[in-house]
Amino acid sequence: MGEALIEGSNWRLVEVGRVVVITNDHPCTGRLAAIVEIIDHKRVLVEGTSSDESLVVPRQAVPLNKVLLSPLVISGLIRGSRHAALKKQWEKSEIDAKWEETNWAKKRAQIAKRKALSDFDRFKVMRLKTQRRFEERKALAKIKAASA
């Protein structure tokens, strides 16, 4: 018999220390929090101790259908950790910096930036896209002409 290769799953598990993004018509929508305790199969206790005061999430029970699991995990976080211990582990793991580096955070920032554009700003973006497209087509035509 051959050797069996056993690999773990790549799923994001609901676990203590998992960083989540709160969504779905919640007062803290768009903020980061860490799972501190698993209450039952539908609810978790979360708290977010971000360095930015506008992103802090107070400790509360949140249904799992109102959170998105991120790939970030605070390792070494004990079940039911209090605020000070969570804050210490959050800063030690540099969650805020790691979050800013993710494509997810960059995309959310880009969407927020585009939502804040005025009508004239949207017009300028349209003109810049048109210019870029023209330059790309001009370069492509030059390459095609050279190869023919």
Side-chain angles (χ1 to χ4, degrees):
M1 284 240 173
E3 292 183 26
L5 181 64
I6 300 172
E7 293 183 9
S9 66
N10 291 330
W11 295 337
R12 296 177 186 166
L13 302 174
V14 176
E15 57 185 320
V16 173
R18 173 73 63 182
V19 177
V20 297
V21 180
I22 299 176
T23 60
N24 294 346
D25 70 339
H26 192 274
C28 298
T29 298
R31 299 181 187 180
L32 290 181
I35 296 176
V36 179
E37 180 75 68
I38 300 170
I39 299 170
D40 57 28
H41 70 286
K42 288 189 174 184
R43 294 181 305 149
V44 290
L45 186 67
V46 298
E47 183 175 1
T49 59
S50 177
S51 56
D52 185 4
E53 288 298 319
S54 65
L55 298 177
V56 171
V57 177
R59 184 176 286 237
Q60 58 189 297
V62 177
L64 284 172
N65 65 356
K66 292 193 184 284
V67 298
L68 296 171
L69 302 174
S70 78
L72 304 175
V73 179
I74 302 172
S75 58
L77 191 67
I78 302 168
R79 283 182 56 204
S81 294
R82 297 193 184 251
H83 179 76
L86 175 64
K87 188 167 187 149
K88 184 178 177 185
Q89 290 288 338
W90 185 284
E91 290 169 357
K92 181 181 173 189
S93 299
E94 298 174 343
I95 296 298
D96 290 328
K98 287 179 183 176
W99 171 252
E100 292 301 322
E101 292 173 7
T102 62
N103 288 333
W104 192 356
K106 290 174 186 174
K107 188 72 170 175
R108 288 168 54 105
Q110 182 183 29
I111 289 169
K113 188 175 179 181
R114 286 193 178 166
K115 274 187 177 180
L117 290 179
S118 68
D119 186 41
F120 184 59
D121 290 333
R122 283 192 295 275
F123 173 75
K124 290 192 290 189
V125 168
M126 182 195 71
R127 296 292 298 165
L128 289 171
K129 282 183 177 179
T130 308
Q131 288 175 357
R132 183 183 68 196
R133 194 167 46 244
F134 177 76
E135 294 297 327
E136 287 172 353
R137 287 186 176 178
K138 195 163 79 171
L140 184 62
K142 188 183 284 186
I143 293 170
K144 282 185 177 180
S147 67

